[in-house]
Amino acid sequence: GTKALVIAEALARLGLEPGAAAVMVGDREHDIHGAAANGLAIIGAGWGYAEPGELEHAGADQVAASVADLRRVLLG
Protein backbone atom coordinates (compact mmCIF):
# COMPACT_ATOMS: atom_id res chain seq x y z
CA GLY A 1 0.00 0.00 0.00
CA THR A 2 0.87 3.67 0.13
CA LYS A 3 2.62 3.43 3.53
CA ALA A 4 4.95 0.75 2.16
CA LEU A 5 5.94 3.11 -0.66
CA VAL A 6 6.55 5.97 1.77
CA ILE A 7 8.77 3.75 3.90
CA ALA A 8 10.63 2.45 0.83
CA GLU A 9 11.29 6.05 -0.24
CA ALA A 10 12.53 6.98 3.24
CA LEU A 11 14.90 4.01 3.21
CA ALA A 12 16.18 4.95 -0.25
CA ARG A 13 16.82 8.54 0.81
CA LEU A 14 18.79 7.22 3.77
CA GLY A 15 20.77 4.95 1.48
CA LEU A 16 19.28 1.81 3.04
CA GLU A 17 17.81 -1.28 1.42
CA PRO A 18 14.60 -3.02 2.47
CA GLY A 19 15.44 -5.38 5.32
CA ALA A 20 18.06 -3.00 6.69
CA ALA A 21 18.97 -2.96 10.37
CA ALA A 22 16.38 -0.27 11.06
CA VAL A 23 13.29 -0.05 13.23
CA MET A 24 9.93 1.46 12.34
CA VAL A 25 7.93 2.95 15.20
CA GLY A 26 4.31 3.39 14.20
CA ASP A 27 0.96 3.99 15.83
CA ARG A 28 -1.46 2.47 13.29
CA GLU A 29 -1.82 -0.84 11.49
CA HIS A 30 -0.87 0.82 8.17
CA ASP A 31 2.55 1.64 9.66
CA ILE A 32 3.01 -1.96 10.75
CA HIS A 33 2.04 -3.38 7.35
CA GLY A 34 4.23 -0.86 5.50
CA ALA A 35 7.25 -1.65 7.65
CA ALA A 36 6.70 -5.40 7.28
CA ALA A 37 6.52 -5.00 3.48
CA ASN A 38 9.99 -3.45 3.67
CA GLY A 39 11.43 -6.08 6.01
CA LEU A 40 11.89 -3.79 8.99
CA ALA A 41 11.62 -4.53 12.69
CA ILE A 42 8.45 -2.94 14.04
CA ILE A 43 7.63 -1.35 17.38
CA GLY A 44 4.06 -0.26 17.94
CA ALA A 45 3.53 3.13 19.59
CA GLY A 46 0.92 2.19 22.16
CA TRP A 47 0.36 5.84 23.10
CA GLY A 48 -0.90 6.72 19.61
CA TYR A 49 -4.23 6.45 17.83
CA ALA A 50 -4.55 2.66 17.48
CA GLU A 51 -7.48 0.82 18.97
CA PRO A 52 -6.60 -1.65 21.75
CA GLY A 53 -4.95 -4.73 20.23
CA GLU A 54 -4.65 -3.18 16.74
CA LEU A 55 -0.85 -3.05 16.69
CA GLU A 56 -0.41 -6.57 18.01
CA HIS A 57 -2.98 -7.94 15.57
CA ALA A 58 -1.24 -6.15 12.67
CA GLY A 59 2.02 -7.88 13.57
CA ALA A 60 4.13 -5.43 15.58
CA ASP A 61 7.18 -7.18 17.02
CA GLN A 62 6.64 -5.32 20.29
CA VAL A 63 4.44 -2.49 21.55
CA ALA A 64 5.80 0.29 23.74
CA ALA A 65 3.20 1.59 26.19
CA SER A 66 4.63 5.12 26.28
CA VAL A 67 7.46 7.22 24.93
CA ALA A 68 9.41 6.43 28.11
CA ASP A 69 8.75 2.70 27.57
CA LEU A 70 10.16 2.95 24.03
CA ARG A 71 13.67 3.18 25.48
CA ARG A 72 13.15 -0.10 27.37
CA VAL A 73 11.81 -1.80 24.25
CA LEU A 74 14.67 -0.55 22.06
CA LEU A 75 17.43 -1.38 24.50
CA GLY A 76 15.92 -4.57 25.86
Side-chain angles (χ1 to χ4, degrees):
T2 302
K3 185 61 75 158
L5 295 174
V6 170
I7 294 169
E9 179 65 20
L11 289 172
R13 290 184 185 199
L14 292 169
L16 300 173
E17 298 287 329
V23 176
M24 170 70 176
V25 178
D27 69 346
R28 294 304 311 265
E29 65 181 317
H30 310 292
D31 300 324
I32 308 307
H33 295 307
N38 283 281
L40 300 182
I42 309 156
I43 298 175
W47 64 90
Y49 295 102
E51 296 292 326
E54 177 182 329
L55 301 172
E56 293 88 348
H57 181 70
D61 296 314
Q62 295 186 59
V63 175
S66 65
V67 174
D69 190 41
L70 182 58
R71 179 179 173 89
R72 179 198 59 79
V73 171
L74 287 171
L75 299 178

